[in-house]
Amino acid sequence: MKKQYLIYADESYRKGKFFSNFYGGALVDYLELEKISKKLNNRKKELGLFQEVKWTKVTEQYLNKYLKLIDYFFEFIKTNKIKIRIMFRQNALIPQKLSKKQEEKEYFLLYYQFIKHAFGIDYCNPEEKDKVILKLYFDKLPDTKRKNKEFKGYIYALNDFFCINNVHIYNEDIAEVDSKNHVILQCMDIILGAMNFKLNNMDKEKIPNSNRRGKRTIAKEKLYKNILKNIKTIYPNFNIGVSTSSRRDFSNYWKDPYRHWCFKSKNSLFDSSLTKKYK
């Protein structure tokens, strides 16, 4: 027997006011990919959304359509047809003694950790009877061809980590894709953008030289609240700013349909002056 899973992955804000380095991923059974994508694309068409959907396109005019699309997307999450993982770093947790090379490669080093750990892949095949194939589709990587190729080489090397559980990655299954052609990646982008929006207090931003918020900001806040409402049907006490609990069972890193991971390096120090409460 052979199982195949696909991870769509993307990154968002690299530097925020309180939280930075946002990464998002959506995992789906590869054999279900076409069917799920078709349903989501049909729902987009029904709603009159004929172009790519993404967080930066959310406006008052399109809010109701985005609300309905996200509610539909969460139906696949709640039934574990799609697993969503969001990772970010709190600015107040300052890593210590980083080398110049580590600082230069921060983007890819964190991306690597996200793929390696966020989905709990090492718990996806507990009895190791079935061979599992893992495919990875990254939204277009933003660096040079050489650095992008080097990163994909490190992802391929995860075979050494995953193969213990009979999970395998083939070089041809590591690809860069255009999100315009992948509706699951588009919907994940909306969730990822919403988390960055809220965690960095963008919902409180006001129009310059005024005491009121813009219509787009208000629309985005409503969409964020709808996303949070959907998450809370899975986890009633969900806190978006902390890592989702394993509930004393590490296999939940794999089993859970939705999780957040606030990344913390082992040698980081906490600076309370960089927190929301201090500000």
Side-chain angles (χ1 to χ4, degrees), residues 120-229:
I121 297 298
D122 42 331
Y123 296 99
C124 78
N125 196 24
E127 296 182 8
E128 301 168 24
K129 291 180 180 179
D130 300 323
K131 181 177 181 180
V132 174
I133 306 299
L134 183 63
K135 302 173 182 288
L136 297 124
Y137 288 2
F138 296 93
D139 194 18
K140 290 181 179 178
L141 297 169
D143 219 311
T144 64
K145 287 184 178 180
R146 181 183 62 81
K147 290 182 178 179
N148 293 345
K149 185 177 179 181
E150 182 182 18
F151 169 67
K152 284 182 271 189
Y154 284 121
I155 296 299
Y156 176 70
L158 281 172
N159 273 301
D160 296 336
F161 179 72
F162 292 143
C163 69
I164 299 170
N165 299 308
N166 203 13
V167 179
H168 306 270
I169 303 172
Y170 296 116
N171 201 47
E172 61 268 25
D173 289 332
I174 304 171
E176 292 181 64
V177 299
D178 188 338
S179 57
K180 290 180 182 178
N181 303 318
H182 299 270
V183 65
I184 294 174
L185 187 54
Q186 293 173 36
C187 292
M188 189 277 294
D189 171 87
I190 295 170
I191 296 173
L192 181 62
M195 295 308 152
N196 167 53
F197 173 80
K198 181 60 179 178
L199 286 171
N200 281 311
N201 280 5
M202 294 179 186
D203 56 320
K204 297 179 181 178
E205 291 180 357
K206 295 178 181 177
I207 299 171
N209 303 316
S210 78
N211 196 35
R212 61 188 179 86
R213 298 182 301 160
K215 291 181 179 179
R216 176 170 288 196
T217 299
I218 294 170
K220 286 185 172 181
E221 181 187 37
K222 289 178 180 178
L223 182 53
Y224 158 73
K225 286 183 176 179
N226 185 62
I227 290 169
L228 182 63
K229 181 187 71 175

Side-chain angles (χ1 to χ4, degrees), residues 73-88:
F73 187 63
F74 263 94
E75 288 182 24
F76 295 99
I77 298 171
K78 292 171 187 177
T79 55
N80 232 327
K81 297 289 186 181
I82 297 175
K83 296 178 186 289
I84 294 293
R85 301 291 184 266
I86 305 293
M87 186 182 93
F88 45 83

Side-chain angles (χ1 to χ4, degrees), residues 18-34:
F18 303 106
F19 292 84
S20 301
N21 305 113
F22 282 77
Y23 298 86
L27 182 146
V28 61
D29 185 328
Y30 190 70
L31 297 179
E32 296 286 314
L33 176 63
E34 186 176 348

Side-chain angles (χ1 to χ4, degrees), residues 13-22 88-96 106 196 199-200 241 262-264 268-276 279:
Y13 234 58
R14 293 200 192 182
K15 187 63 179 177
K17 190 174 183 180
F18 303 106
F19 292 84
S20 301
N21 305 113
F22 282 77
F88 45 83
R89 185 182 60 78
Q90 186 178 12
N91 295 348
L93 290 166
I94 304 172
Q96 304 297 302
E106 176 190 60
N196 167 53
L199 286 171
N200 281 311
C262 183
F263 181 87
K264 178 182 178 182
S268 61
L269 294 178
F270 187 75
D271 184 349
S272 61
S273 70
L274 298 176
T275 61
K276 289 185 180 184
K279 297 293 181 180

Side-chain angles (χ1 to χ4, degrees), residues 83 85 116-126 161 165 235 243-257 259 261:
K83 296 178 186 289
R85 301 291 184 266
K116 184 176 182 180
H117 296 295
F119 284 93
I121 297 298
D122 42 331
Y123 296 99
C124 78
N125 196 24
F161 179 72
N165 299 308
Y235 313 106
S243 297
T244 307
S245 171
S246 66
R247 305 181 301 286
R248 299 183 181 182
D249 182 355
F250 291 140
S251 67
N252 284 327
Y253 290 140
W254 165 254
K255 293 176 182 176
D256 285 351
R259 294 186 64 85
W261 179 16

